[in-house]
Amino acid sequence: MANDFDAVLIGAGHNTLAAALHLSARGWKVGVFEQAGVAGGAVKTGEYTLPGFRHDWAAMNLSLFAGSAFFQRYGEELGRHGCAFVPVDRPFSSSFPDGSWVGVSTDRTETLAAIRAVSPRDAETWTRLCDGFGAEAPHLFGLLGSPMRFRALAYFMFKTLRAKGIGGTLDMGRFLLSSPRAWLEETFEHPHVRAMLGAWGMHLDFAPDVAGGAMFPYLEGMAGQAFGMVIGQGGADTVTRALVAAIKARGGMVETGATVTRILHQGGRASGIELADSRRIAARRAVIAGVAPRALARLTRGTTPAFDGALQTFRHAPGTMMIHLAMDALPDWRAGAVLQRHAYVHLAPSLDQMARTYVQALAGQLPDEPILVVGQPTVFDPSRAPEGKHVLWVQVRMAPGTIAGDAKGEISATGWAEAAEPFAERALSILEAHAPGTRAKILARRIVTPVELEADNPNLVGGDQVCGSHHLAQHFLFRPVRGHADGSTPIANLHLTGAAVWPGAGTGAGPGFLLARKLAGN
């Protein structure tokens, strides 16, 4: 073999890059091999419409990364390599068809005024939740940041019991098992407040009636109130570029345009990889695959029947379509100019509509009323567009990876090449209804279908941006497979990382950092 490393990493997503940096810092020689021409996976930025307009390809919100244990350890080093964030004081809001809105600002008085306008009682509830967040956050974040091993889980339960008692611990367990709708309807009275928070569940494949999803609307609401949001200065790729530079500065290698075709192993132990150009790269201590579970069996050409079978049945969430818009000006929201000051505007009018959209996408139908997440990053980071211009980041949820039909009966195409334009027009019509005149402000647009998302990054199977459903049967100890939530595999020295591994999706780098700490020590 011409090249050899202590660790060879497949894929240059932020999790594998985080693992590579930590291993480098612990003295390992690392090599990262990425099939795409640009590192970053879903965390990258480019001029996808017009020169000077910088669009985040998929991930825009970097709050989890900025607040992660990984960034606490390596933030100063990444800063020296150009990583920079822009704080967002108005992280999200929801616009409704009746011209009203509800939103969250880091100014609690402002948030309460918005909620009080639709429900004084819900404003009181919001105050109570915010006041109690400081006591609840350590338990929830402690769970999400804990290695998913029986000993670690037992220790977490012991600490929780000591802090909360039996009753409080049971209440927490019930909350963790609840669906978004169950918790939201128990907690808030107004449908708009429920919808504002329920939209966050859809980001992680938790439709309103899916058990185990209540935590995410709660955490996003409370964290948005307490901390706001963070986006990348100049684009989300500020993270990727800094990670690559830091790895190289420590003597590691990151090679793009290098497709891995095989993981080499013999006698139950991984020894390296083979590339499409026939090169063989040796790994003395670890091969780390940042791939979707189903791809691992193809690369290994078989581990054990039970493990490979479980990977093949790993379930992916419905897909997403992205619409990148270069804008002459921001949308004029019917609900008021205040929405021009929010990073995200959700167009998801009710829990019932979200549930219907989700079921339609699961059935392979183009939803009759898809959910839109309208990102307005240039409100906070004008450097992403020419002076006076803007970009809109429009995430269309949900969209089936494979089209079986159209729930509205208007689109006959069943291939994304033909369905992309009419489905994008459906989404833009929803945006136009909430912000009349938006179409006239579009200078250029780029539609990215679920098929294109997967072609660019094979981990986004069917356009699934979270690399696998987070439903209870596929989360915690079961992500991706029971007994392997730490990224281990039946082959010694071969490890899986990325959003398919506990603690799952998001930009927090948890799967990569936890694995690297396990391999090389804290």
Side-chain angles (χ1 to χ4, degrees), residues 157-190:
M157 290 299 299
F158 173 72
K159 289 195 302 181
T160 303
L161 279 165
R162 286 189 62 183
K164 298 175 73 70
I166 294 176
T169 301
L170 288 173
D171 287 344
M172 178 178 168
R174 179 178 181 271
F175 170 66
L176 291 173
L177 295 174
S178 295
S179 70
R181 186 193 299 269
W183 178 71
L184 289 166
E185 291 186 347
E186 287 176 4
T187 308
F188 297 100
E189 68 172 6
H190 201 283

PDB file of all heavy atoms in Angstrom, residues 157-190:
ATOM      1  N   MET A 157     -29.127   7.907  34.675  1.00  0.00           N
ATOM      2  CA  MET A 157     -30.366   7.667  35.414  1.00  0.00           C
ATOM      3  C   MET A 157     -30.164   7.863  36.918  1.00  0.00           C
ATOM      4  O   MET A 157     -31.017   8.429  37.611  1.00  0.00           O
ATOM      5  CB  MET A 157     -30.879   6.253  35.128  1.00  0.00           C
ATOM      6  CG  MET A 157     -31.404   6.056  33.719  1.00  0.00           C
ATOM      7  SD  MET A 157     -32.808   7.144  33.358  1.00  0.00           S
ATOM      8  CE  MET A 157     -33.987   6.598  34.589  1.00  0.00           C
ATOM      9  N   PHE A 158     -29.016   7.415  37.425  1.00  0.00           N
ATOM     10  CA  PHE A 158     -28.712   7.590  38.847  1.00  0.00           C
ATOM     11  C   PHE A 158     -28.663   9.073  39.203  1.00  0.00           C
ATOM     12  O   PHE A 158     -29.263   9.514  40.197  1.00  0.00           O
ATOM     13  CB  PHE A 158     -27.381   6.908  39.170  1.00  0.00           C
ATOM     14  CG  PHE A 158     -26.891   7.171  40.562  1.00  0.00           C
ATOM     15  CD1 PHE A 158     -27.508   6.587  41.660  1.00  0.00           C
ATOM     16  CD2 PHE A 158     -25.799   8.010  40.778  1.00  0.00           C
ATOM     17  CE1 PHE A 158     -27.050   6.834  42.949  1.00  0.00           C
ATOM     18  CE2 PHE A 158     -25.336   8.263  42.054  1.00  0.00           C
ATOM     19  CZ  PHE A 158     -25.969   7.677  43.146  1.00  0.00           C
ATOM     20  N   LYS A 159     -27.974   9.869  38.388  1.00  0.00           N
ATOM     21  CA  LYS A 159     -27.896  11.305  38.661  1.00  0.00           C
ATOM     22  C   LYS A 159     -29.263  11.967  38.571  1.00  0.00           C
ATOM     23  O   LYS A 159     -29.586  12.855  39.363  1.00  0.00           O
ATOM     24  CB  LYS A 159     -26.934  11.972  37.661  1.00  0.00           C
ATOM     25  CG  LYS A 159     -25.474  11.635  37.860  1.00  0.00           C
ATOM     26  CD  LYS A 159     -24.560  12.591  37.106  1.00  0.00           C
ATOM     27  CE  LYS A 159     -24.854  12.580  35.628  1.00  0.00           C
ATOM     28  NZ  LYS A 159     -23.946  13.501  34.873  1.00  0.00           N
ATOM     29  N   THR A 160     -30.060  11.538  37.594  1.00  0.00           N
ATOM     30  CA  THR A 160     -31.387  12.120  37.424  1.00  0.00           C
ATOM     31  C   THR A 160     -32.281  11.795  38.614  1.00  0.00           C
ATOM     32  O   THR A 160     -33.017  12.654  39.122  1.00  0.00           O
ATOM     33  CB  THR A 160     -32.022  11.627  36.117  1.00  0.00           C
ATOM     34  OG1 THR A 160     -31.165  11.940  35.018  1.00  0.00           O
ATOM     35  CG2 THR A 160     -33.364  12.288  35.884  1.00  0.00           C
ATOM     36  N   LEU A 161     -32.239  10.570  39.073  1.00  0.00           N
ATOM     37  CA  LEU A 161     -33.029  10.176  40.244  1.00  0.00           C
ATOM     38  C   LEU A 161     -32.633  10.968  41.481  1.00  0.00           C
ATOM     39  O   LEU A 161     -33.489  11.406  42.261  1.00  0.00           O
ATOM     40  CB  LEU A 161     -32.864   8.679  40.500  1.00  0.00           C
ATOM     41  CG  LEU A 161     -33.715   7.741  39.642  1.00  0.00           C
ATOM     42  CD1 LEU A 161     -33.199   6.311  39.743  1.00  0.00           C
ATOM     43  CD2 LEU A 161     -35.185   7.818  40.036  1.00  0.00           C
ATOM     44  N   ARG A 162     -31.352  11.165  41.667  1.00  0.00           N
ATOM     45  CA  ARG A 162     -30.895  11.948  42.819  1.00  0.00           C
ATOM     46  C   ARG A 162     -31.379  13.390  42.730  1.00  0.00           C
ATOM     47  O   ARG A 162     -31.738  14.000  43.743  1.00  0.00           O
ATOM     48  CB  ARG A 162     -29.372  11.930  42.907  1.00  0.00           C
ATOM     49  CG  ARG A 162     -28.781  10.618  43.389  1.00  0.00           C
ATOM     50  CD  ARG A 162     -27.308  10.746  43.659  1.00  0.00           C
ATOM     51  NE  ARG A 162     -27.031  11.708  44.723  1.00  0.00           N
ATOM     52  CZ  ARG A 162     -25.815  12.046  45.119  1.00  0.00           C
ATOM     53  NH1 ARG A 162     -24.749  11.515  44.542  1.00  0.00           N
ATOM     54  NH2 ARG A 162     -25.635  12.926  46.088  1.00  0.00           N
ATOM     55  N   ALA A 163     -31.376  13.942  41.524  1.00  0.00           N
ATOM     56  CA  ALA A 163     -31.740  15.350  41.357  1.00  0.00           C
ATOM     57  C   ALA A 163     -33.250  15.568  41.337  1.00  0.00           C
ATOM     58  O   ALA A 163     -33.747  16.559  41.886  1.00  0.00           O
ATOM     59  CB  ALA A 163     -31.124  15.888  40.066  1.00  0.00           C
ATOM     60  N   LYS A 164     -33.998  14.651  40.715  1.00  0.00           N
ATOM     61  CA  LYS A 164     -35.421  14.887  40.476  1.00  0.00           C
ATOM     62  C   LYS A 164     -36.339  14.002  41.315  1.00  0.00           C
ATOM     63  O   LYS A 164     -37.545  14.251  41.364  1.00  0.00           O
ATOM     64  CB  LYS A 164     -35.746  14.684  38.986  1.00  0.00           C
ATOM     65  CG  LYS A 164     -35.022  15.638  38.049  1.00  0.00           C
ATOM     66  CD  LYS A 164     -35.282  15.312  36.584  1.00  0.00           C
ATOM     67  CE  LYS A 164     -36.670  15.701  36.160  1.00  0.00           C
ATOM     68  NZ  LYS A 164     -36.856  17.151  36.100  1.00  0.00           N
ATOM     69  N   GLY A 165     -35.780  12.974  41.948  1.00  0.00           N
ATOM     70  CA  GLY A 165     -36.628  12.040  42.673  1.00  0.00           C
ATOM     71  C   GLY A 165     -37.358  11.113  41.719  1.00  0.00           C
ATOM     72  O   GLY A 165     -37.300  11.263  40.495  1.00  0.00           O
ATOM     73  N   ILE A 166     -38.071  10.149  42.303  1.00  0.00           N
ATOM     74  CA  ILE A 166     -38.766   9.158  41.471  1.00  0.00           C
ATOM     75  C   ILE A 166     -39.865   9.809  40.646  1.00  0.00           C
ATOM     76  O   ILE A 166     -39.994   9.573  39.438  1.00  0.00           O
ATOM     77  CB  ILE A 166     -39.341   8.033  42.357  1.00  0.00           C
ATOM     78  CG1 ILE A 166     -38.213   7.238  43.002  1.00  0.00           C
ATOM     79  CG2 ILE A 166     -40.236   7.107  41.518  1.00  0.00           C
ATOM     80  CD1 ILE A 166     -38.686   6.181  43.971  1.00  0.00           C
ATOM     81  N   GLY A 167     -40.671  10.659  41.289  1.00  0.00           N
ATOM     82  CA  GLY A 167     -41.776  11.297  40.570  1.00  0.00           C
ATOM     83  C   GLY A 167     -41.277  12.160  39.426  1.00  0.00           C
ATOM     84  O   GLY A 167     -41.795  12.097  38.303  1.00  0.00           O
ATOM     85  N   GLY A 168     -40.272  12.983  39.696  1.00  0.00           N
ATOM     86  CA  GLY A 168     -39.733  13.869  38.657  1.00  0.00           C
ATOM     87  C   GLY A 168     -39.093  13.091  37.528  1.00  0.00           C
ATOM     88  O   GLY A 168     -39.197  13.475  36.355  1.00  0.00           O
ATOM     89  N   THR A 169     -38.431  11.985  37.867  1.00  0.00           N
ATOM     90  CA  THR A 169     -37.806  11.165  36.837  1.00  0.00           C
ATOM     91  C   THR A 169     -38.859  10.492  35.963  1.00  0.00           C
ATOM     92  O   THR A 169     -38.712  10.411  34.740  1.00  0.00           O
ATOM     93  CB  THR A 169     -36.901  10.109  37.486  1.00  0.00           C
ATOM     94  OG1 THR A 169     -35.898  10.769  38.276  1.00  0.00           O
ATOM     95  CG2 THR A 169     -36.218   9.251  36.432  1.00  0.00           C
ATOM     96  N   LEU A 170     -39.936  10.012  36.575  1.00  0.00           N
ATOM     97  CA  LEU A 170     -41.023   9.417  35.788  1.00  0.00           C
ATOM     98  C   LEU A 170     -41.684  10.457  34.895  1.00  0.00           C
ATOM     99  O   LEU A 170     -42.047  10.166  33.746  1.00  0.00           O
ATOM    100  CB  LEU A 170     -42.053   8.783  36.714  1.00  0.00           C
ATOM    101  CG  LEU A 170     -41.612   7.496  37.419  1.00  0.00           C
ATOM    102  CD1 LEU A 170     -42.663   7.063  38.434  1.00  0.00           C
ATOM    103  CD2 LEU A 170     -41.363   6.383  36.404  1.00  0.00           C
ATOM    104  N   ASP A 171     -41.852  11.675  35.404  1.00  0.00           N
ATOM    105  CA  ASP A 171     -42.427  12.744  34.577  1.00  0.00           C
ATOM    106  C   ASP A 171     -41.527  13.031  33.373  1.00  0.00           C
ATOM    107  O   ASP A 171     -42.009  13.241  32.253  1.00  0.00           O
ATOM    108  CB  ASP A 171     -42.596  14.021  35.400  1.00  0.00           C
ATOM    109  CG  ASP A 171     -43.738  13.913  36.396  1.00  0.00           C
ATOM    110  OD1 ASP A 171     -44.579  12.996  36.249  1.00  0.00           O
ATOM    111  OD2 ASP A 171     -43.786  14.747  37.328  1.00  0.00           O
ATOM    112  N   MET A 172     -40.219  13.021  33.611  1.00  0.00           N
ATOM    113  CA  MET A 172     -39.283  13.246  32.513  1.00  0.00           C
ATOM    114  C   MET A 172     -39.358  12.110  31.498  1.00  0.00           C
ATOM    115  O   MET A 172     -39.349  12.336  30.277  1.00  0.00           O
ATOM    116  CB  MET A 172     -37.856  13.366  33.057  1.00  0.00           C
ATOM    117  CG  MET A 172     -36.795  13.563  31.990  1.00  0.00           C
ATOM    118  SD  MET A 172     -35.154  13.754  32.722  1.00  0.00           S
ATOM    119  CE  MET A 172     -34.131  13.608  31.259  1.00  0.00           C
ATOM    120  N   GLY A 173     -39.466  10.870  31.996  1.00  0.00           N
ATOM    121  CA  GLY A 173     -39.595   9.731  31.096  1.00  0.00           C
ATOM    122  C   GLY A 173     -40.858   9.813  30.251  1.00  0.00           C
ATOM    123  O   GLY A 173     -40.824   9.519  29.049  1.00  0.00           O
ATOM    124  N   ARG A 174     -41.947  10.210  30.864  1.00  0.00           N
ATOM    125  CA  ARG A 174     -43.197  10.362  30.115  1.00  0.00           C
ATOM    126  C   ARG A 174     -43.047  11.427  29.030  1.00  0.00           C
ATOM    127  O   ARG A 174     -43.510  11.250  27.894  1.00  0.00           O
ATOM    128  CB  ARG A 174     -44.332  10.738  31.064  1.00  0.00           C
ATOM    129  CG  ARG A 174     -45.683  10.958  30.387  1.00  0.00           C
ATOM    130  CD  ARG A 174     -46.768  11.274  31.410  1.00  0.00           C
ATOM    131  NE  ARG A 174     -48.059  11.457  30.766  1.00  0.00           N
ATOM    132  CZ  ARG A 174     -48.497  12.645  30.301  1.00  0.00           C
ATOM    133  NH1 ARG A 174     -47.746  13.719  30.422  1.00  0.00           N
ATOM    134  NH2 ARG A 174     -49.687  12.725  29.720  1.00  0.00           N
ATOM    135  N   PHE A 175     -42.385  12.538  29.378  1.00  0.00           N
ATOM    136  CA  PHE A 175     -42.154  13.610  28.411  1.00  0.00           C
ATOM    137  C   PHE A 175     -41.315  13.106  27.245  1.00  0.00           C
ATOM    138  O   PHE A 175     -41.623  13.382  26.072  1.00  0.00           O
ATOM    139  CB  PHE A 175     -41.468  14.779  29.112  1.00  0.00           C
ATOM    140  CG  PHE A 175     -40.970  15.851  28.189  1.00  0.00           C
ATOM    141  CD1 PHE A 175     -41.853  16.625  27.456  1.00  0.00           C
ATOM    142  CD2 PHE A 175     -39.607  16.089  28.052  1.00  0.00           C
ATOM    143  CE1 PHE A 175     -41.396  17.609  26.595  1.00  0.00           C
ATOM    144  CE2 PHE A 175     -39.140  17.073  27.200  1.00  0.00           C
ATOM    145  CZ  PHE A 175     -40.033  17.833  26.467  1.00  0.00           C
ATOM    146  N   LEU A 176     -40.266  12.334  27.526  1.00  0.00           N
ATOM    147  CA  LEU A 176     -39.400  11.825  26.468  1.00  0.00           C
ATOM    148  C   LEU A 176     -40.126  10.877  25.531  1.00  0.00           C
ATOM    149  O   LEU A 176     -39.740  10.724  24.365  1.00  0.00           O
ATOM    150  CB  LEU A 176     -38.183  11.127  27.075  1.00  0.00           C
ATOM    151  CG  LEU A 176     -37.175  12.027  27.797  1.00  0.00           C
ATOM    152  CD1 LEU A 176     -36.108  11.189  28.489  1.00  0.00           C
ATOM    153  CD2 LEU A 176     -36.526  13.007  26.830  1.00  0.00           C
ATOM    154  N   LEU A 177     -41.181  10.226  26.013  1.00  0.00           N
ATOM    155  CA  LEU A 177     -41.943   9.295  25.186  1.00  0.00           C
ATOM    156  C   LEU A 177     -43.110   9.962  24.457  1.00  0.00           C
ATOM    157  O   LEU A 177     -43.729   9.353  23.581  1.00  0.00           O
ATOM    158  CB  LEU A 177     -42.485   8.152  26.049  1.00  0.00           C
ATOM    159  CG  LEU A 177     -41.441   7.228  26.686  1.00  0.00           C
ATOM    160  CD1 LEU A 177     -42.117   6.243  27.628  1.00  0.00           C
ATOM    161  CD2 LEU A 177     -40.647   6.482  25.619  1.00  0.00           C
ATOM    162  N   SER A 178     -43.427  11.187  24.803  1.00  0.00           N
ATOM    163  CA  SER A 178     -44.612  11.859  24.260  1.00  0.00           C
ATOM    164  C   SER A 178     -44.410  12.305  22.820  1.00  0.00           C
ATOM    165  O   SER A 178     -43.294  12.604  22.382  1.00  0.00           O
ATOM    166  CB  SER A 178     -44.967  13.082  25.120  1.00  0.00           C
ATOM    167  OG  SER A 178     -45.358  12.700  26.411  1.00  0.00           O
ATOM    168  N   SER A 179     -45.498  12.401  22.093  1.00  0.00           N
ATOM    169  CA  SER A 179     -45.469  12.980  20.751  1.00  0.00           C
ATOM    170  C   SER A 179     -45.502  14.499  20.863  1.00  0.00           C
ATOM    171  O   SER A 179     -45.909  15.052  21.895  1.00  0.00           O
ATOM    172  CB  SER A 179     -46.680  12.510  19.944  1.00  0.00           C
ATOM    173  OG  SER A 179     -47.869  13.103  20.464  1.00  0.00           O
ATOM    174  N   PRO A 180     -45.069  15.210  19.819  1.00  0.00           N
ATOM    175  CA  PRO A 180     -45.190  16.660  19.843  1.00  0.00           C
ATOM    176  C   PRO A 180     -46.617  17.128  20.110  1.00  0.00           C
ATOM    177  O   PRO A 180     -46.844  18.031  20.928  1.00  0.00           O
ATOM    178  CB  PRO A 180     -44.714  17.081  18.449  1.00  0.00           C
ATOM    179  CG  PRO A 180     -43.743  16.017  18.055  1.00  0.00           C
ATOM    180  CD  PRO A 180     -44.338  14.747  18.608  1.00  0.00           C
ATOM    181  N   ARG A 181     -47.603  16.514  19.444  1.00  0.00           N
ATOM    182  CA  ARG A 181     -48.981  16.959  19.624  1.00  0.00           C
ATOM    183  C   ARG A 181     -49.423  16.769  21.079  1.00  0.00           C
ATOM    184  O   ARG A 181     -50.049  17.662  21.664  1.00  0.00           O
ATOM    185  CB  ARG A 181     -49.928  16.203  18.693  1.00  0.00           C
ATOM    186  CG  ARG A 181     -51.367  16.766  18.756  1.00  0.00           C
ATOM    187  CD  ARG A 181     -52.381  15.833  18.091  1.00  0.00           C
ATOM    188  NE  ARG A 181     -52.127  15.607  16.689  1.00  0.00           N
ATOM    189  CZ  ARG A 181     -52.643  16.343  15.710  1.00  0.00           C
ATOM    190  NH1 ARG A 181     -53.412  17.395  15.992  1.00  0.00           N
ATOM    191  NH2 ARG A 181     -52.398  16.042  14.447  1.00  0.00           N
ATOM    192  N   ALA A 182     -49.109  15.596  21.648  1.00  0.00           N
ATOM    193  CA  ALA A 182     -49.540  15.328  23.022  1.00  0.00           C
ATOM    194  C   ALA A 182     -49.021  16.396  23.976  1.00  0.00           C
ATOM    195  O   ALA A 182     -49.779  16.942  24.792  1.00  0.00           O
ATOM    196  CB  ALA A 182     -49.070  13.946  23.457  1.00  0.00           C
ATOM    197  N   TRP A 183     -47.729  16.705  23.869  1.00  0.00           N
ATOM    198  CA  TRP A 183     -47.158  17.704  24.782  1.00  0.00           C
ATOM    199  C   TRP A 183     -47.673  19.106  24.470  1.00  0.00           C
ATOM    200  O   TRP A 183     -48.031  19.863  25.380  1.00  0.00           O
ATOM    201  CB  TRP A 183     -45.633  17.679  24.711  1.00  0.00           C
ATOM    202  CG  TRP A 183     -45.027  18.719  25.601  1.00  0.00           C
ATOM    203  CD1 TRP A 183     -44.996  18.715  26.966  1.00  0.00           C
ATOM    204  CD2 TRP A 183     -44.410  19.948  25.192  1.00  0.00           C
ATOM    205  NE1 TRP A 183     -44.382  19.859  27.443  1.00  0.00           N
ATOM    206  CE2 TRP A 183     -44.015  20.623  26.373  1.00  0.00           C
ATOM    207  CE3 TRP A 183     -44.138  20.527  23.955  1.00  0.00           C
ATOM    208  CZ2 TRP A 183     -43.361  21.865  26.333  1.00  0.00           C
ATOM    209  CZ3 TRP A 183     -43.484  21.759  23.915  1.00  0.00           C
ATOM    210  CH2 TRP A 183     -43.114  22.414  25.092  1.00  0.00           C
ATOM    211  N   LEU A 184     -47.738  19.458  23.212  1.00  0.00           N
ATOM    212  CA  LEU A 184     -48.164  20.809  22.835  1.00  0.00           C
ATOM    213  C   LEU A 184     -49.619  21.062  23.215  1.00  0.00           C
ATOM    214  O   LEU A 184     -49.960  22.152  23.693  1.00  0.00           O
ATOM    215  CB  LEU A 184     -47.952  21.027  21.337  1.00  0.00           C
ATOM    216  CG  LEU A 184     -46.485  21.141  20.899  1.00  0.00           C
ATOM    217  CD1 LEU A 184     -46.360  21.010  19.392  1.00  0.00           C
ATOM    218  CD2 LEU A 184     -45.874  22.457  21.382  1.00  0.00           C
ATOM    219  N   GLU A 185     -50.487  20.072  23.018  1.00  0.00           N
ATOM    220  CA  GLU A 185     -51.897  20.277  23.370  1.00  0.00           C
ATOM    221  C   GLU A 185     -52.108  20.263  24.878  1.00  0.00           C
ATOM    222  O   GLU A 185     -53.036  20.908  25.376  1.00  0.00           O
ATOM    223  CB  GLU A 185     -52.760  19.229  22.674  1.00  0.00           C
ATOM    224  CG  GLU A 185     -52.814  19.432  21.159  1.00  0.00           C
ATOM    225  CD  GLU A 185     -53.775  18.496  20.464  1.00  0.00           C
ATOM    226  OE1 GLU A 185     -54.228  17.514  21.100  1.00  0.00           O
ATOM    227  OE2 GLU A 185     -54.075  18.724  19.267  1.00  0.00           O
ATOM    228  N   GLU A 186     -51.286  19.539  25.611  1.00  0.00           N
ATOM    229  CA  GLU A 186     -51.357  19.589  27.074  1.00  0.00           C
ATOM    230  C   GLU A 186     -50.863  20.927  27.619  1.00  0.00           C
ATOM    231  O   GLU A 186     -51.302  21.373  28.674  1.00  0.00           O
ATOM    232  CB  GLU A 186     -50.492  18.477  27.681  1.00  0.00           C
ATOM    233  CG  GLU A 186     -51.049  17.078  27.545  1.00  0.00           C
ATOM    234  CD  GLU A 186     -50.075  16.044  28.084  1.00  0.00           C
ATOM    235  OE1 GLU A 186     -49.014  16.432  28.630  1.00  0.00           O
ATOM    236  OE2 GLU A 186     -50.366  14.840  27.964  1.00  0.00           O
ATOM    237  N   THR A 187     -49.943  21.558  26.893  1.00  0.00           N
ATOM    238  CA  THR A 187     -49.207  22.697  27.434  1.00  0.00           C
ATOM    239  C   THR A 187     -49.753  24.034  26.972  1.00  0.00           C
ATOM    240  O   THR A 187     -49.816  24.992  27.756  1.00  0.00           O
ATOM    241  CB  THR A 187     -47.718  22.573  27.042  1.00  0.00           C
ATOM    242  OG1 THR A 187     -47.231  21.270  27.423  1.00  0.00           O
ATOM    243  CG2 THR A 187     -46.880  23.643  27.724  1.00  0.00           C
ATOM    244  N   PHE A 188     -50.146  24.145  25.708  1.00  0.00           N
ATOM    245  CA  PHE A 188     -50.581  25.424  25.142  1.00  0.00           C
ATOM    246  C   PHE A 188     -52.016  25.316  24.639  1.00  0.00           C
ATOM    247  O   PHE A 188     -52.444  24.259  24.171  1.00  0.00           O
ATOM    248  CB  PHE A 188     -49.654  25.843  23.988  1.00  0.00           C
ATOM    249  CG  PHE A 188     -48.232  26.078  24.402  1.00  0.00           C
ATOM    250  CD1 PHE A 188     -47.263  25.105  24.191  1.00  0.00           C
ATOM    251  CD2 PHE A 188     -47.856  27.255  25.032  1.00  0.00           C
ATOM    252  CE1 PHE A 188     -45.951  25.300  24.578  1.00  0.00           C
ATOM    253  CE2 PHE A 188     -46.549  27.474  25.425  1.00  0.00           C
ATOM    254  CZ  PHE A 188     -45.590  26.494  25.203  1.00  0.00           C
ATOM    255  N   GLU A 189     -52.736  26.437  24.676  1.00  0.00           N
ATOM    256  CA  GLU A 189     -54.133  26.421  24.244  1.00  0.00           C
ATOM    257  C   GLU A 189     -54.328  26.902  22.815  1.00  0.00           C
ATOM    258  O   GLU A 189     -55.259  26.480  22.144  1.00  0.00           O
ATOM    259  CB  GLU A 189     -54.985  27.287  25.186  1.00  0.00           C
ATOM    260  CG  GLU A 189     -54.714  28.773  25.112  1.00  0.00           C
ATOM    261  CD  GLU A 189     -55.717  29.583  25.930  1.00  0.00           C
ATOM    262  OE1 GLU A 189     -56.532  28.982  26.637  1.00  0.00           O
ATOM    263  OE2 GLU A 189     -55.662  30.841  25.849  1.00  0.00           O
ATOM    264  N   HIS A 190     -53.438  27.774  22.309  1.00  0.00           N
ATOM    265  CA  HIS A 190     -53.699  28.356  20.992  1.00  0.00           C
ATOM    266  C   HIS A 190     -53.039  27.544  19.880  1.00  0.00           C
ATOM    267  O   HIS A 190     -51.856  27.199  19.967  1.00  0.00           O
ATOM    268  CB  HIS A 190     -53.195  29.802  20.925  1.00  0.00           C
ATOM    269  CG  HIS A 190     -53.859  30.586  19.833  1.00  0.00           C
ATOM    270  ND1 HIS A 190     -53.512  30.450  18.510  1.00  0.00           N
ATOM    271  CD2 HIS A 190     -54.863  31.498  19.865  1.00  0.00           C
ATOM    272  CE1 HIS A 190     -54.264  31.252  17.766  1.00  0.00           C
ATOM    273  NE2 HIS A 190     -55.106  31.895  18.568  1.00  0.00           N
TER     274      HIS A 190
END
